[in-house]
C-alpha cells in the first residue's frame, strides 16, 4: 500500500493498533458512493479516459454487490475500508483501479464517508423521533383528561393530566429533531477533492462531486475539510441531549411501574422476571434506555477530548471518531425504538393516578388563587392563609377538601362554601386554561395539533 517508501511491513502490534477495518467497514456503502461520484467527475473533467471510468464504475458496482451479498473479504492487512475496496477493485479491473485515487486522499475520502454516514443516520433518527412523538401524542389524546399528580422536587405539587405530561416530552423531542436537522444542515458540505490537506493541481470540479452526492456545496477550505469533525461532535451533542430526554422519561416509567406508585402498567413485552423472585416484573427496557444515555454522553466527551489538542490538518488520532460515533448514534436509534414500543404498550391506571393527584395538598395553589380571585387578597397574604390551612389539615390528618368551613373561616372570615369547588382535582386541572396549561381542552387541542403536524410531514 505504501509503495516504495517502506522496505518492510509493520510490526504485528502496529498493525493491530493501526487497522480500522474492523469498524470502518460499515462505511462501505458511503465509500463506494463517494468513489462513484469521484470517478464520474474525473471522467467529465477529462482527467481520466472514458474507458477507465467505465471499468472502474463497473468494478465498484461489483464490489458493492459482493459487500451487500456478504461475500466480500475484509482483510486487516489492508488497514481500512478505502484500501479494501481499492484492492478488490484492482483484482476485478486490473491496473485501471489505480487511477481512482487521482486527485484525492484518504483524508478527504474518509471525511466524505463519515459525513455521508452521519447524514444518513441523522435522517433515520429524525424519523424515529417523529414516530415516538406520534405514539406519545396518540396516548396524550386518549388521556387528555386523566388526572395525575404533577411534581416538583418529586413531591406532589399541582394536579395535571397524563396527556399534558406526555406532551411535555413531545416538545422535547421536537427540539431534538430540530437539533438533528440543524446538525445535518451544517454538515452538508462535501470535503471530497480537498485531497490530503492542500487541494490538488488537477482541474477537478468539486461542485459537481458535491451535487452528485447530495451536498449543498463543497467545503471552502482544504485544511478545514480534512481536519474538521465538528459534524460528528454536533451530531453526538444532539444525540446526547435526546438521550437525556429519553432517560428522564425512562426513569419515570421505572418509578411509575413500581408497586409503591402503580401509576402505569407495562406488559410482558417490555418487562422481565427475576431468577429468584417469582413475583417480580422488572421494567428492564426502561432501565436500559436510562443506562444507555451514559454511553451516548461518553461518546461525545471522548471525541471532544480526542479533538481538543490536534494541530491542523489531519492526524491519525481522528480515526477515533468512528467507533464512538457509530455506537452512540446506533444506540440512540435502539433507545428511540424501545421507547416508542413502551409508550404504545403503556397502560395508565386512572383510579390510582386520581387518588395520587389529590394527595400532598396538591390543590393548595388553587385555594390561594381562589382567595386572590374571589376575595381580592394580595397573593402573598393568600399564600399565608393557605399555608396555615394546610397546616391545620395536616395536623388533623385530612385533606384540604375535608376541612370544615368554620375552620377555614376562622383563618379568613370571608371564605364561603364556594371554595370547595376549586379543591377537587378535576376542577383544578380544568381551571388551568392559560396557553400551554393542563386543562383537558388545551391538551386535546395540543395533541390533535401534533398529530396533524406529524401527518402533514409524511403526506
Amino acid at each position: 500500500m505504501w509503495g516504495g517508501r517502506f522496505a518492510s511491513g509493520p510490526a504485528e502490534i502496529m498493525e493491530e493498533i493501526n487497522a480500522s477495518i474492523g469498524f470502518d467497514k460499515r462505511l462501505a456503502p458511503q465509500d463506494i458512493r463517494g468513489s462513484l461520484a469521484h470517478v464520474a467527475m474525473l471522467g467529465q473533467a477529462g482527467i481520466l479516459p472514458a474507458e477507465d471510468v467505465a471499468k472502474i464504475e463497473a468494478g465498484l458496482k461489483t464490489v458493492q454487490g459482493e459487500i451487500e451479498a456478504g461475500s466480500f473479504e475484509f482483510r486487516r492487512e489492508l488497514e481500512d475500508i478505502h484500501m479494501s475496496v481499492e484492492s478488490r477493485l484492482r483484482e476485478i479491473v486490473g491496473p485501471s483501479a489505480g487511477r481512482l485515487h487521482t486527485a484525492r486522499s484518504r483524508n478527504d475520502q474518509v471525511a466524505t464517508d463519515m459525513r455521508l454516514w452521519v447524514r444518513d443516520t441523522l435522517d433515520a433518527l429524525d424519523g424515529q423521533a417523529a414516530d415516538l412523538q406520534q405514539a406519545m401524542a396518540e396516548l396524550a389524546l386518549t388521556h387528555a383528561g386523566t388526572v395525575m399528580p404533577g411534581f416538583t422536587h418529586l413531591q406532589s405539587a399541582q394536579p395535571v393530566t397524563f396527556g399534558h405530561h406526555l406532551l411535555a416530552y413531545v416538545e422535547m423531542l421536537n427540539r431534538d429533531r430540530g437539533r438533528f436537522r440543524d446538525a445535518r444542515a451544517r454538515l452538508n458540505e462535501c470535503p471530497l477533492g480537498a485531497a490530503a490537506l492542500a487541494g490538488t493541481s488537477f482541474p477537478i470540479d468539486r461542485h459537481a462531486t458535491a451535487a452528485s452526492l447530495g451536498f449543498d456545496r463543497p467545503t471552502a477550505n482544504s485544511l478545514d475539510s480534512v481536519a474538521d469533525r465538528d459534524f460528528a461532535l454536533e451530531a453526538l451533542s444532539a444525540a446526547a441531549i435526546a438521550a437525556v430526554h429519553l432517560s428522564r422519561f425512562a426513569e419515570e416509567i421505572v418509578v411509575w411501574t413500581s408497586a409503591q406508585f402503580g401509576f402505569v402498567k407495562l406488559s410482558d413485552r417490555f418487562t422481565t422476571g427475576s431468577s429468584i423472585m417469582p413475583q417480580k416484573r422488572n421494567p428492564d427496557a426502561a432501565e436500559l434506555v436510562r443506562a444507555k444515555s451514559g454511553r451516548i454522553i461518553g461518546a461525545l466527551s471522548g471525541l471532544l477530548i480526542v479533538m481538543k489538542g490536534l494541530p491542523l490538518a489531519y492526524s491519525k488520532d481522528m480515526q477515533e471518531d468512528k467507533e464512538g460515533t457509530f455506537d452512540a448514534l446506533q444506540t440512540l436509534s435502539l433507545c428511540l425504538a424501545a421507547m416508542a414500543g413502551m409508550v404504545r404498550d403503556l397502560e395508565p391506571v386512572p383510579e390510582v393516578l386520581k387518588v395520587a393527584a389529590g394527595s400532598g395538598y396538591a390543590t393548595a395553589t388553587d385555594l390561594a388563587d381562589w382567595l386572590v380571585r374571589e376575595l381580592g387578597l394580595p397573593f402573598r397574604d393568600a399564600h399565608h392563609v393557605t399555608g396555615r390551612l394546610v397546616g391545620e389539615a395536616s395536623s388533623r390528618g385530612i385533606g384540604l377538601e375535608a376541612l370544615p368551613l368554620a375552620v377555614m373561616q376562622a383563618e379568613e372570615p370571608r371564605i364561603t362554601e364556594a371554595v370547595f369547588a376549586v379543591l377537587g382535582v378535576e376542577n383544578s386541572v380544568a381551571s388551568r386554561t392559560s396557553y400551554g396549561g393542563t386543562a383537558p381542552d388545551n391538551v386535546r387541542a395540543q395533541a390533535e395539533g401534533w398529530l396533524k403536524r406529524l401527518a402533514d410531514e409524511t403526506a
Side-chain angles (χ1 to χ4, degrees):
M1 179 169 62
W2 306 117
R5 175 63 181 84
F6 287 76
S8 64
E12 185 178 347
I13 193 64
M14 177 61 190
E15 185 177 292
E16 181 68 28
I17 196 172
N18 195 46
S20 59
I21 190 62
F23 49 85
D24 71 15
K25 62 186 178 183
R26 76 180 58 196
L27 292 174
Q30 290 78 20
D31 194 69
I32 291 172
R33 278 162 61 191
S35 290
L36 285 167
H38 183 66
V39 74
M41 179 276 297
L42 292 176
Q44 291 161 7
I47 298 169
L48 292 189
E51 181 182 358
D52 283 335
V53 171
K55 283 183 182 179
I56 291 169
E57 287 178 339
L60 285 169
K61 290 173 183 176
T62 299
V63 174
Q64 183 177 35
E66 291 175 353
I67 292 171
E68 291 172 352
S71 59
F72 187 89
E73 182 184 1
F74 295 98
R75 292 155 50 195
R76 193 175 68 165
E77 67 270 19
L78 292 174
E79 192 175 314
D80 58 30
I81 187 59
H82 323 298
M83 297 309 298
S84 296
V85 170
E86 187 175 325
S87 175
R88 178 60 182 141
L89 182 65
R90 181 177 287 271
E91 292 173 356
I92 295 169
V93 306
S96 294
R99 298 184 184 279
L100 173 60
H101 211 52
T102 304
R104 76 174 184 185
S105 161
R106 287 190 300 169
N107 294 355
D108 61 335
Q109 191 177 356
V110 70
T112 303
D113 291 359
M114 277 294 287
R115 284 180 187 246
L116 288 170
W117 188 91
V118 172
R119 188 178 72 183
D120 292 344
T121 305
L122 286 173
D123 288 344
L125 290 172
D126 182 55
Q128 287 188 279
D131 180 60
L132 179 52
Q133 285 182 299
Q134 176 89 19
M136 287 180 159
E138 288 171 351
L139 192 59
L141 185 58
T142 301
H143 290 279
T146 300
V147 179
M148 69 171 288
F151 297 98
T152 59
H153 310 277
L154 202 56
Q155 306 293 313
S156 290
Q158 294 176 264
V160 295
T161 73
F162 192 78
H164 191 60
H165 195 104
L166 288 170
L167 290 179
Y169 286 99
V170 173
E171 295 289 337
M172 292 182 211
L173 285 163
N174 206 55
R175 294 194 294 275
D176 293 328
R177 294 182 65 199
R179 279 182 281 269
F180 295 155
R181 292 175 178 184
D182 287 347
R184 188 198 196 282
R186 266 183 290 280
L187 73 76
N188 208 36
E189 297 182 346
C190 184
L192 201 56
L197 75 162
T200 178
S201 59
F202 289 95
I204 61 174
D205 185 348
R206 293 190 60 209
H207 288 85
T209 308
S212 69
L213 290 170
F215 289 106
D216 295 331
R217 63 191 69 85
T219 49
N221 181 283
S222 59
L223 286 166
D224 181 55
S225 299
V226 299
D228 168 56
R229 291 298 182 271
D230 288 1
F231 64 90
L233 288 169
E234 192 169 0
L236 289 173
S237 178
I241 296 170
V244 168
H245 292 155
L246 298 185
S247 182
R248 293 180 74 178
F249 190 52
E251 165 70 7
E252 292 187 319
I253 291 175
V254 170
V255 171
W256 291 349
T257 55
S258 68
Q260 290 74 18
F261 274 73
F263 284 4
V264 299
K265 295 177 182 177
L266 279 174
S267 76
D268 295 349
R269 297 175 66 240
F270 288 95
T271 56
T272 66
S274 165
S275 63
I276 190 172
M277 295 170 284
Q279 82 280 12
K280 294 295 293 297
R281 182 189 287 250
N282 300 321
D284 282 4
E287 291 173 9
L288 287 166
V289 168
R290 183 177 61 184
K292 287 180 185 294
S293 63
R295 190 164 162 174
I296 297 167
I297 294 164
L300 171 61
S301 299
L303 185 54
L304 284 167
I305 293 166
V306 166
M307 297 301 297
K308 70 176 181 59
L310 297 187
L312 296 182
Y314 180 83
S315 297
K316 197 60 178 264
D317 310 51
M318 292 163 68
Q319 183 169 289
E320 289 298 308
D321 66 342
K322 294 172 191 62
E323 288 179 281
T325 302
F326 293 157
D327 181 76
L329 298 189
Q330 291 189 327
T331 296
L332 180 60
S333 174
L334 177 61
C335 290
L336 284 165
M339 189 59 76
M342 279 187 282
V343 168
R344 290 189 168 101
D345 190 70
L346 214 59
E347 185 183 336
V349 186
E351 60 274 19
V352 174
L353 289 167
K354 182 177 178 180
V355 170
S359 67
Y361 305 101
T363 57
T365 305
D366 297 279
L367 173 56
D369 287 347
W370 186 89
L371 294 171
V372 171
R373 189 172 56 250
E374 300 299 326
L375 305 184
L377 266 65
F379 183 80
R380 284 300 168 204
D381 293 347
H383 189 283
H384 290 308
V385 170
T386 301
R388 289 192 293 270
L389 290 175
V390 167
E392 181 64 28
S394 179
S395 69
R396 295 175 179 233
I398 58 176
L400 274 174
E401 70 283 357
L403 269 180
L405 179 61
V407 173
M408 293 189 183
Q409 289 172 334
E411 288 292 343
E412 171 49 64
R414 291 178 293 163
I415 294 176
T416 69
E417 192 79 29
V419 74
F420 292 101
V422 303
L423 298 182
V425 290
E426 287 94 347
N427 291 330
S428 174
V429 296
S431 72
R432 306 296 170 179
T433 56
S434 60
Y435 182 79
T438 192
D441 287 345
N442 283 13
V443 175
R444 287 186 194 94
Q446 289 280 356
E448 288 169 351
W450 272 114
L451 291 170
K452 182 181 185 304
R453 182 172 170 181
L454 292 165
D456 288 346
E457 285 182 13
T458 57

